PDB file of all heavy atoms in Angstrom:
ATOM      1  N   GLU A 340     -27.972   0.042  -7.311  1.00  0.00           N
ATOM      2  CA  GLU A 340     -27.929   1.509  -7.238  1.00  0.00           C
ATOM      3  C   GLU A 340     -27.944   2.026  -5.796  1.00  0.00           C
ATOM      4  O   GLU A 340     -27.328   3.037  -5.470  1.00  0.00           O
ATOM      5  CB  GLU A 340     -29.127   2.077  -8.034  1.00  0.00           C
ATOM      6  CG  GLU A 340     -29.141   3.573  -8.260  1.00  0.00           C
ATOM      7  CD  GLU A 340     -27.989   4.050  -9.124  1.00  0.00           C
ATOM      8  OE1 GLU A 340     -27.679   3.408 -10.141  1.00  0.00           O
ATOM      9  OE2 GLU A 340     -27.387   5.075  -8.746  1.00  0.00           O
ATOM     10  N   ASP A 341     -28.645   1.288  -4.913  1.00  0.00           N
ATOM     11  CA  ASP A 341     -28.820   1.760  -3.530  1.00  0.00           C
ATOM     12  C   ASP A 341     -27.679   1.340  -2.602  1.00  0.00           C
ATOM     13  O   ASP A 341     -27.632   1.762  -1.446  1.00  0.00           O
ATOM     14  CB  ASP A 341     -30.133   1.205  -2.942  1.00  0.00           C
ATOM     15  CG  ASP A 341     -31.325   1.750  -3.701  1.00  0.00           C
ATOM     16  OD1 ASP A 341     -31.229   2.897  -4.197  1.00  0.00           O
ATOM     17  OD2 ASP A 341     -32.327   1.014  -3.824  1.00  0.00           O
ATOM     18  N   LEU A 342     -26.820   0.471  -3.066  1.00  0.00           N
ATOM     19  CA  LEU A 342     -25.772  -0.068  -2.191  1.00  0.00           C
ATOM     20  C   LEU A 342     -24.577   0.889  -2.154  1.00  0.00           C
ATOM     21  O   LEU A 342     -23.932   1.138  -3.174  1.00  0.00           O
ATOM     22  CB  LEU A 342     -25.326  -1.445  -2.715  1.00  0.00           C
ATOM     23  CG  LEU A 342     -24.218  -2.153  -1.946  1.00  0.00           C
ATOM     24  CD1 LEU A 342     -24.621  -2.431  -0.499  1.00  0.00           C
ATOM     25  CD2 LEU A 342     -23.848  -3.470  -2.644  1.00  0.00           C
ATOM     26  N   THR A 343     -24.255   1.411  -0.969  1.00  0.00           N
ATOM     27  CA  THR A 343     -23.095   2.306  -0.852  1.00  0.00           C
ATOM     28  C   THR A 343     -21.850   1.493  -0.498  1.00  0.00           C
ATOM     29  O   THR A 343     -21.948   0.351  -0.019  1.00  0.00           O
ATOM     30  CB  THR A 343     -23.319   3.350   0.260  1.00  0.00           C
ATOM     31  OG1 THR A 343     -23.367   2.648   1.524  1.00  0.00           O
ATOM     32  CG2 THR A 343     -24.592   4.142   0.045  1.00  0.00           C
ATOM     33  N   GLY A 344     -20.689   2.112  -0.665  1.00  0.00           N
ATOM     34  CA  GLY A 344     -19.445   1.465  -0.271  1.00  0.00           C
ATOM     35  C   GLY A 344     -19.420   1.190   1.226  1.00  0.00           C
ATOM     36  O   GLY A 344     -18.928   0.154   1.674  1.00  0.00           O
ATOM     37  N   LYS A 345     -19.976   2.133   1.993  1.00  0.00           N
ATOM     38  CA  LYS A 345     -19.970   1.991   3.455  1.00  0.00           C
ATOM     39  C   LYS A 345     -20.762   0.749   3.871  1.00  0.00           C
ATOM     40  O   LYS A 345     -20.272  -0.078   4.654  1.00  0.00           O
ATOM     41  CB  LYS A 345     -20.575   3.253   4.077  1.00  0.00           C
ATOM     42  CG  LYS A 345     -20.564   3.299   5.575  1.00  0.00           C
ATOM     43  CD  LYS A 345     -20.992   4.685   6.058  1.00  0.00           C
ATOM     44  CE  LYS A 345     -20.921   4.786   7.568  1.00  0.00           C
ATOM     45  NZ  LYS A 345     -21.839   3.906   8.271  1.00  0.00           N
ATOM     46  N   VAL A 346     -21.958   0.618   3.323  1.00  0.00           N
ATOM     47  CA  VAL A 346     -22.793  -0.543   3.679  1.00  0.00           C
ATOM     48  C   VAL A 346     -22.131  -1.831   3.181  1.00  0.00           C
ATOM     49  O   VAL A 346     -22.058  -2.834   3.902  1.00  0.00           O
ATOM     50  CB  VAL A 346     -24.218  -0.381   3.104  1.00  0.00           C
ATOM     51  CG1 VAL A 346     -25.010  -1.683   3.212  1.00  0.00           C
ATOM     52  CG2 VAL A 346     -24.950   0.746   3.834  1.00  0.00           C
ATOM     53  N   ALA A 347     -21.597  -1.795   1.960  1.00  0.00           N
ATOM     54  CA  ALA A 347     -20.980  -3.010   1.402  1.00  0.00           C
ATOM     55  C   ALA A 347     -19.802  -3.462   2.271  1.00  0.00           C
ATOM     56  O   ALA A 347     -19.650  -4.657   2.564  1.00  0.00           O
ATOM     57  CB  ALA A 347     -20.523  -2.745  -0.030  1.00  0.00           C
ATOM     58  N   GLN A 348     -18.991  -2.499   2.719  1.00  0.00           N
ATOM     59  CA  GLN A 348     -17.847  -2.853   3.575  1.00  0.00           C
ATOM     60  C   GLN A 348     -18.331  -3.491   4.878  1.00  0.00           C
ATOM     61  O   GLN A 348     -17.778  -4.494   5.342  1.00  0.00           O
ATOM     62  CB  GLN A 348     -17.037  -1.586   3.865  1.00  0.00           C
ATOM     63  CG  GLN A 348     -15.841  -1.813   4.775  1.00  0.00           C
ATOM     64  CD  GLN A 348     -15.244  -0.495   5.266  1.00  0.00           C
ATOM     65  OE1 GLN A 348     -14.936   0.382   4.458  1.00  0.00           O
ATOM     66  NE2 GLN A 348     -15.070  -0.360   6.558  1.00  0.00           N
ATOM     67  N   GLU A 349     -19.387  -2.926   5.457  1.00  0.00           N
ATOM     68  CA  GLU A 349     -19.903  -3.453   6.726  1.00  0.00           C
ATOM     69  C   GLU A 349     -20.497  -4.854   6.538  1.00  0.00           C
ATOM     70  O   GLU A 349     -20.263  -5.753   7.346  1.00  0.00           O
ATOM     71  CB  GLU A 349     -20.958  -2.495   7.299  1.00  0.00           C
ATOM     72  CG  GLU A 349     -20.324  -1.229   7.874  1.00  0.00           C
ATOM     73  CD  GLU A 349     -21.313  -0.064   8.065  1.00  0.00           C
ATOM     74  OE1 GLU A 349     -22.524  -0.241   7.803  1.00  0.00           O
ATOM     75  OE2 GLU A 349     -20.853   1.023   8.447  1.00  0.00           O
ATOM     76  N   VAL A 350     -21.227  -5.022   5.449  1.00  0.00           N
ATOM     77  CA  VAL A 350     -21.829  -6.340   5.180  1.00  0.00           C
ATOM     78  C   VAL A 350     -20.724  -7.385   4.985  1.00  0.00           C
ATOM     79  O   VAL A 350     -20.769  -8.487   5.553  1.00  0.00           O
ATOM     80  CB  VAL A 350     -22.737  -6.275   3.929  1.00  0.00           C
ATOM     81  CG1 VAL A 350     -23.123  -7.664   3.451  1.00  0.00           C
ATOM     82  CG2 VAL A 350     -23.979  -5.431   4.212  1.00  0.00           C
ATOM     83  N   LEU A 351     -19.728  -7.023   4.189  1.00  0.00           N
ATOM     84  CA  LEU A 351     -18.652  -7.991   3.912  1.00  0.00           C
ATOM     85  C   LEU A 351     -17.856  -8.295   5.177  1.00  0.00           C
ATOM     86  O   LEU A 351     -17.390  -9.424   5.370  1.00  0.00           O
ATOM     87  CB  LEU A 351     -17.753  -7.471   2.783  1.00  0.00           C
ATOM     88  CG  LEU A 351     -18.437  -7.429   1.407  1.00  0.00           C
ATOM     89  CD1 LEU A 351     -17.516  -6.833   0.352  1.00  0.00           C
ATOM     90  CD2 LEU A 351     -18.899  -8.828   0.968  1.00  0.00           C
ATOM     91  N   ASP A 352     -17.706  -7.315   6.049  1.00  0.00           N
ATOM     92  CA  ASP A 352     -17.048  -7.566   7.338  1.00  0.00           C
ATOM     93  C   ASP A 352     -17.799  -8.662   8.101  1.00  0.00           C
ATOM     94  O   ASP A 352     -17.189  -9.575   8.669  1.00  0.00           O
ATOM     95  CB  ASP A 352     -17.046  -6.280   8.173  1.00  0.00           C
ATOM     96  CG  ASP A 352     -15.633  -5.848   8.579  1.00  0.00           C
ATOM     97  OD1 ASP A 352     -14.697  -6.658   8.378  1.00  0.00           O
ATOM     98  OD2 ASP A 352     -15.471  -4.722   9.073  1.00  0.00           O
ATOM     99  N   ARG A 353     -19.113  -8.542   8.094  1.00  0.00           N
ATOM    100  CA  ARG A 353     -19.927  -9.551   8.806  1.00  0.00           C
ATOM    101  C   ARG A 353     -19.788 -10.920   8.148  1.00  0.00           C
ATOM    102  O   ARG A 353     -19.908 -11.960   8.809  1.00  0.00           O
ATOM    103  CB  ARG A 353     -21.396  -9.123   8.829  1.00  0.00           C
ATOM    104  CG  ARG A 353     -21.648  -8.004   9.849  1.00  0.00           C
ATOM    105  CD  ARG A 353     -22.987  -7.334   9.646  1.00  0.00           C
ATOM    106  NE  ARG A 353     -24.119  -8.224   9.752  1.00  0.00           N
ATOM    107  CZ  ARG A 353     -25.300  -8.024   9.141  1.00  0.00           C
ATOM    108  NH1 ARG A 353     -25.475  -6.959   8.384  1.00  0.00           N
ATOM    109  NH2 ARG A 353     -26.272  -8.875   9.288  1.00  0.00           N
ATOM    110  N   ALA A 354     -19.499 -10.920   6.856  1.00  0.00           N
ATOM    111  CA  ALA A 354     -19.339 -12.192   6.135  1.00  0.00           C
ATOM    112  C   ALA A 354     -17.888 -12.700   6.179  1.00  0.00           C
ATOM    113  O   ALA A 354     -17.562 -13.704   5.541  1.00  0.00           O
ATOM    114  CB  ALA A 354     -19.790 -12.015   4.693  1.00  0.00           C
ATOM    115  N   GLY A 355     -17.017 -11.978   6.910  1.00  0.00           N
ATOM    116  CA  GLY A 355     -15.625 -12.424   7.033  1.00  0.00           C
ATOM    117  C   GLY A 355     -14.764 -12.046   5.840  1.00  0.00           C
ATOM    118  O   GLY A 355     -13.720 -12.657   5.591  1.00  0.00           O
ATOM    119  N   ILE A 356     -15.171 -11.017   5.095  1.00  0.00           N
ATOM    120  CA  ILE A 356     -14.403 -10.585   3.917  1.00  0.00           C
ATOM    121  C   ILE A 356     -13.986  -9.128   4.152  1.00  0.00           C
ATOM    122  O   ILE A 356     -14.831  -8.234   4.173  1.00  0.00           O
ATOM    123  CB  ILE A 356     -15.252 -10.719   2.628  1.00  0.00           C
ATOM    124  CG1 ILE A 356     -15.711 -12.176   2.452  1.00  0.00           C
ATOM    125  CG2 ILE A 356     -14.464 -10.236   1.410  1.00  0.00           C
ATOM    126  CD1 ILE A 356     -16.714 -12.385   1.313  1.00  0.00           C
ATOM    127  N   THR A 357     -12.680  -8.906   4.344  1.00  0.00           N
ATOM    128  CA  THR A 357     -12.210  -7.583   4.736  1.00  0.00           C
ATOM    129  C   THR A 357     -11.764  -6.783   3.518  1.00  0.00           C
ATOM    130  O   THR A 357     -10.812  -7.159   2.829  1.00  0.00           O
ATOM    131  CB  THR A 357     -11.024  -7.710   5.727  1.00  0.00           C
ATOM    132  OG1 THR A 357     -11.394  -8.641   6.742  1.00  0.00           O
ATOM    133  CG2 THR A 357     -10.692  -6.371   6.354  1.00  0.00           C
ATOM    134  N   VAL A 358     -12.480  -5.688   3.276  1.00  0.00           N
ATOM    135  CA  VAL A 358     -12.174  -4.802   2.139  1.00  0.00           C
ATOM    136  C   VAL A 358     -12.297  -3.364   2.628  1.00  0.00           C
ATOM    137  O   VAL A 358     -12.674  -3.137   3.775  1.00  0.00           O
ATOM    138  CB  VAL A 358     -13.175  -5.008   0.972  1.00  0.00           C
ATOM    139  CG1 VAL A 358     -13.166  -6.445   0.479  1.00  0.00           C
ATOM    140  CG2 VAL A 358     -14.587  -4.618   1.391  1.00  0.00           C
ATOM    141  N   ASN A 359     -11.991  -2.392   1.796  1.00  0.00           N
ATOM    142  CA  ASN A 359     -12.304  -1.021   2.192  1.00  0.00           C
ATOM    143  C   ASN A 359     -13.138  -0.325   1.135  1.00  0.00           C
ATOM    144  O   ASN A 359     -12.992  -0.547  -0.058  1.00  0.00           O
ATOM    145  CB  ASN A 359     -11.058  -0.199   2.549  1.00  0.00           C
ATOM    146  CG  ASN A 359     -10.182   0.135   1.372  1.00  0.00           C
ATOM    147  OD1 ASN A 359      -9.335  -0.659   0.983  1.00  0.00           O
ATOM    148  ND2 ASN A 359     -10.391   1.314   0.804  1.00  0.00           N
ATOM    149  N   ARG A 360     -14.059   0.503   1.661  1.00  0.00           N
ATOM    150  CA  ARG A 360     -14.860   1.318   0.754  1.00  0.00           C
ATOM    151  C   ARG A 360     -13.944   2.369   0.152  1.00  0.00           C
ATOM    152  O   ARG A 360     -12.949   2.765   0.762  1.00  0.00           O
ATOM    153  CB  ARG A 360     -16.015   1.968   1.502  1.00  0.00           C
ATOM    154  CG  ARG A 360     -15.617   2.945   2.604  1.00  0.00           C
ATOM    155  CD  ARG A 360     -16.893   3.458   3.225  1.00  0.00           C
ATOM    156  NE  ARG A 360     -16.710   4.383   4.317  1.00  0.00           N
ATOM    157  CZ  ARG A 360     -16.560   4.045   5.590  1.00  0.00           C
ATOM    158  NH1 ARG A 360     -16.450   2.755   5.924  1.00  0.00           N
ATOM    159  NH2 ARG A 360     -16.477   4.957   6.540  1.00  0.00           N
ATOM    160  N   ASN A 361     -14.282   2.804  -1.041  1.00  0.00           N
ATOM    161  CA  ASN A 361     -13.411   3.743  -1.734  1.00  0.00           C
ATOM    162  C   ASN A 361     -14.229   4.604  -2.675  1.00  0.00           C
ATOM    163  O   ASN A 361     -15.171   4.110  -3.302  1.00  0.00           O
ATOM    164  CB  ASN A 361     -12.374   2.964  -2.562  1.00  0.00           C
ATOM    165  CG  ASN A 361     -11.028   3.632  -2.556  1.00  0.00           C
ATOM    166  OD1 ASN A 361     -10.139   3.201  -1.819  1.00  0.00           O
ATOM    167  ND2 ASN A 361     -10.866   4.700  -3.318  1.00  0.00           N
ATOM    168  N   THR A 362     -13.853   5.865  -2.792  1.00  0.00           N
ATOM    169  CA  THR A 362     -14.505   6.662  -3.822  1.00  0.00           C
ATOM    170  C   THR A 362     -14.094   6.124  -5.187  1.00  0.00           C
ATOM    171  O   THR A 362     -13.002   5.564  -5.360  1.00  0.00           O
ATOM    172  CB  THR A 362     -14.107   8.153  -3.752  1.00  0.00           C
ATOM    173  OG1 THR A 362     -12.696   8.224  -3.662  1.00  0.00           O
ATOM    174  CG2 THR A 362     -14.752   8.872  -2.584  1.00  0.00           C
ATOM    175  N   ILE A 363     -14.981   6.294  -6.141  1.00  0.00           N
ATOM    176  CA  ILE A 363     -14.661   5.996  -7.535  1.00  0.00           C
ATOM    177  C   ILE A 363     -14.582   7.347  -8.252  1.00  0.00           C
ATOM    178  O   ILE A 363     -15.089   8.346  -7.722  1.00  0.00           O
ATOM    179  CB  ILE A 363     -15.745   5.085  -8.158  1.00  0.00           C
ATOM    180  CG1 ILE A 363     -17.133   5.694  -7.905  1.00  0.00           C
ATOM    181  CG2 ILE A 363     -15.671   3.687  -7.594  1.00  0.00           C
ATOM    182  CD1 ILE A 363     -18.230   5.018  -8.677  1.00  0.00           C
ATOM    183  N   PRO A 364     -13.955   7.417  -9.418  1.00  0.00           N
ATOM    184  CA  PRO A 364     -13.854   8.719 -10.091  1.00  0.00           C
ATOM    185  C   PRO A 364     -15.238   9.366 -10.249  1.00  0.00           C
ATOM    186  O   PRO A 364     -16.196   8.704 -10.648  1.00  0.00           O
ATOM    187  CB  PRO A 364     -13.228   8.366 -11.436  1.00  0.00           C
ATOM    188  CG  PRO A 364     -12.443   7.122 -11.163  1.00  0.00           C
ATOM    189  CD  PRO A 364     -13.238   6.366 -10.144  1.00  0.00           C
ATOM    190  N   ASP A 365     -15.300  10.649  -9.922  1.00  0.00           N
ATOM    191  CA  ASP A 365     -16.549  11.433 -10.004  1.00  0.00           C
ATOM    192  C   ASP A 365     -17.672  10.827  -9.156  1.00  0.00           C
ATOM    193  O   ASP A 365     -18.836  10.809  -9.550  1.00  0.00           O
ATOM    194  CB  ASP A 365     -17.000  11.591 -11.464  1.00  0.00           C
ATOM    195  CG  ASP A 365     -15.906  12.245 -12.301  1.00  0.00           C
ATOM    196  OD1 ASP A 365     -15.348  13.253 -11.833  1.00  0.00           O
ATOM    197  OD2 ASP A 365     -15.595  11.721 -13.385  1.00  0.00           O
ATOM    198  N   ASP A 366     -17.300  10.315  -8.018  1.00  0.00           N
ATOM    199  CA  ASP A 366     -18.272   9.671  -7.115  1.00  0.00           C
ATOM    200  C   ASP A 366     -19.302  10.694  -6.643  1.00  0.00           C
ATOM    201  O   ASP A 366     -18.939  11.742  -6.116  1.00  0.00           O
ATOM    202  CB  ASP A 366     -17.515   9.088  -5.905  1.00  0.00           C
ATOM    203  CG  ASP A 366     -18.296   8.005  -5.200  1.00  0.00           C
ATOM    204  OD1 ASP A 366     -19.526   8.136  -5.096  1.00  0.00           O
ATOM    205  OD2 ASP A 366     -17.671   7.028  -4.772  1.00  0.00           O
ATOM    206  N   PRO A 367     -20.596  10.390  -6.810  1.00  0.00           N
ATOM    207  CA  PRO A 367     -21.607  11.339  -6.315  1.00  0.00           C
ATOM    208  C   PRO A 367     -21.730  11.307  -4.793  1.00  0.00           C
ATOM    209  O   PRO A 367     -22.320  12.208  -4.209  1.00  0.00           O
ATOM    210  CB  PRO A 367     -22.902  10.837  -6.966  1.00  0.00           C
ATOM    211  CG  PRO A 367     -22.665   9.398  -7.252  1.00  0.00           C
ATOM    212  CD  PRO A 367     -21.187   9.231  -7.485  1.00  0.00           C
ATOM    213  N   ARG A 368     -21.175  10.273  -4.155  1.00  0.00           N
ATOM    214  CA  ARG A 368     -21.284  10.166  -2.690  1.00  0.00           C
ATOM    215  C   ARG A 368     -19.993  10.665  -2.029  1.00  0.00           C
ATOM    216  O   ARG A 368     -18.951  10.738  -2.662  1.00  0.00           O
ATOM    217  CB  ARG A 368     -21.570   8.726  -2.292  1.00  0.00           C
ATOM    218  CG  ARG A 368     -22.917   8.215  -2.808  1.00  0.00           C
ATOM    219  CD  ARG A 368     -23.168   6.794  -2.362  1.00  0.00           C
ATOM    220  NE  ARG A 368     -24.525   6.348  -2.662  1.00  0.00           N
ATOM    221  CZ  ARG A 368     -24.799   5.333  -3.490  1.00  0.00           C
ATOM    222  NH1 ARG A 368     -23.836   4.657  -4.091  1.00  0.00           N
ATOM    223  NH2 ARG A 368     -26.050   4.989  -3.703  1.00  0.00           N
ATOM    224  N   SER A 369     -20.099  10.965  -0.725  1.00  0.00           N
ATOM    225  CA  SER A 369     -18.942  11.511   0.003  1.00  0.00           C
ATOM    226  C   SER A 369     -17.876  10.432   0.211  1.00  0.00           C
ATOM    227  O   SER A 369     -18.159   9.229   0.074  1.00  0.00           O
ATOM    228  CB  SER A 369     -19.388  12.022   1.370  1.00  0.00           C
ATOM    229  OG  SER A 369     -19.637  10.909   2.211  1.00  0.00           O
ATOM    230  N   ALA A 370     -16.669  10.864   0.615  1.00  0.00           N
ATOM    231  CA  ALA A 370     -15.571   9.923   0.856  1.00  0.00           C
ATOM    232  C   ALA A 370     -15.886   9.013   2.035  1.00  0.00           C
ATOM    233  O   ALA A 370     -15.284   7.949   2.181  1.00  0.00           O
ATOM    234  CB  ALA A 370     -14.278  10.690   1.115  1.00  0.00           C
ATOM    235  N   PHE A 371     -16.814   9.412   2.897  1.00  0.00           N
ATOM    236  CA  PHE A 371     -17.168   8.581   4.044  1.00  0.00           C
ATOM    237  C   PHE A 371     -18.171   7.501   3.646  1.00  0.00           C
ATOM    238  O   PHE A 371     -18.198   6.425   4.235  1.00  0.00           O
ATOM    239  CB  PHE A 371     -17.746   9.456   5.167  1.00  0.00           C
ATOM    240  CG  PHE A 371     -17.866   8.723   6.466  1.00  0.00           C
ATOM    241  CD1 PHE A 371     -16.729   8.393   7.202  1.00  0.00           C
ATOM    242  CD2 PHE A 371     -19.108   8.331   6.956  1.00  0.00           C
ATOM    243  CE1 PHE A 371     -16.834   7.683   8.389  1.00  0.00           C
ATOM    244  CE2 PHE A 371     -19.223   7.631   8.146  1.00  0.00           C
ATOM    245  CZ  PHE A 371     -18.083   7.306   8.868  1.00  0.00           C
ATOM    246  N   VAL A 372     -18.967   7.793   2.618  1.00  0.00           N
ATOM    247  CA  VAL A 372     -20.014   6.844   2.201  1.00  0.00           C
ATOM    248  C   VAL A 372     -19.558   6.073   0.951  1.00  0.00           C
ATOM    249  O   VAL A 372     -19.504   4.849   0.951  1.00  0.00           O
ATOM    250  CB  VAL A 372     -21.345   7.594   1.934  1.00  0.00           C
ATOM    251  CG1 VAL A 372     -22.423   6.636   1.439  1.00  0.00           C
ATOM    252  CG2 VAL A 372     -21.811   8.289   3.211  1.00  0.00           C
ATOM    253  N   THR A 373     -19.221   6.772  -0.091  1.00  0.00           N
ATOM    254  CA  THR A 373     -18.670   6.251  -1.352  1.00  0.00           C
ATOM    255  C   THR A 373     -19.621   5.324  -2.142  1.00  0.00           C
ATOM    256  O   THR A 373     -20.555   4.752  -1.600  1.00  0.00           O
ATOM    257  CB  THR A 373     -17.328   5.489  -1.175  1.00  0.00           C
ATOM    258  OG1 THR A 373     -17.562   4.150  -0.781  1.00  0.00           O
ATOM    259  CG2 THR A 373     -16.386   6.185  -0.239  1.00  0.00           C
ATOM    260  N   SER A 374     -19.279   5.154  -3.413  1.00  0.00           N
ATOM    261  CA  SER A 374     -20.017   4.215  -4.272  1.00  0.00           C
ATOM    262  C   SER A 374     -19.138   3.053  -4.693  1.00  0.00           C
ATOM    263  O   SER A 374     -19.489   2.293  -5.598  1.00  0.00           O
ATOM    264  CB  SER A 374     -20.497   4.942  -5.538  1.00  0.00           C
ATOM    265  OG  SER A 374     -21.302   6.034  -5.182  1.00  0.00           O
ATOM    266  N   GLY A 375     -17.976   2.920  -4.049  1.00  0.00           N
ATOM    267  CA  GLY A 375     -17.052   1.899  -4.517  1.00  0.00           C
ATOM    268  C   GLY A 375     -16.419   1.065  -3.428  1.00  0.00           C
ATOM    269  O   GLY A 375     -16.505   1.365  -2.232  1.00  0.00           O
ATOM    270  N   LEU A 376     -15.782  -0.002  -3.864  1.00  0.00           N
ATOM    271  CA  LEU A 376     -14.967  -0.850  -2.998  1.00  0.00           C
ATOM    272  C   LEU A 376     -13.616  -1.036  -3.668  1.00  0.00           C
ATOM    273  O   LEU A 376     -13.543  -1.140  -4.898  1.00  0.00           O
ATOM    274  CB  LEU A 376     -15.588  -2.241  -2.836  1.00  0.00           C
ATOM    275  CG  LEU A 376     -16.848  -2.417  -2.007  1.00  0.00           C
ATOM    276  CD1 LEU A 376     -17.246  -3.897  -2.016  1.00  0.00           C
ATOM    277  CD2 LEU A 376     -16.648  -1.933  -0.570  1.00  0.00           C
TER     278      LEU A 376
END
Side-chain angles (χ1 to χ4, degrees):
E340 189 65 43
D341 296 329
L342 179 61
T343 66
K345 184 171 183 296
V346 168
Q348 178 192 307
E349 286 162 3
V350 167
L351 292 177
D352 237 350
R353 284 166 60 207
I356 302 172
T357 311
V358 301
N359 70 275
R360 63 181 179 272
N361 217 101
T362 49
I363 51 170
D365 303 314
D366 201 322
R368 296 181 171 117
S369 74
F371 192 71
V372 177
T373 83
S374 302
L376 288 180

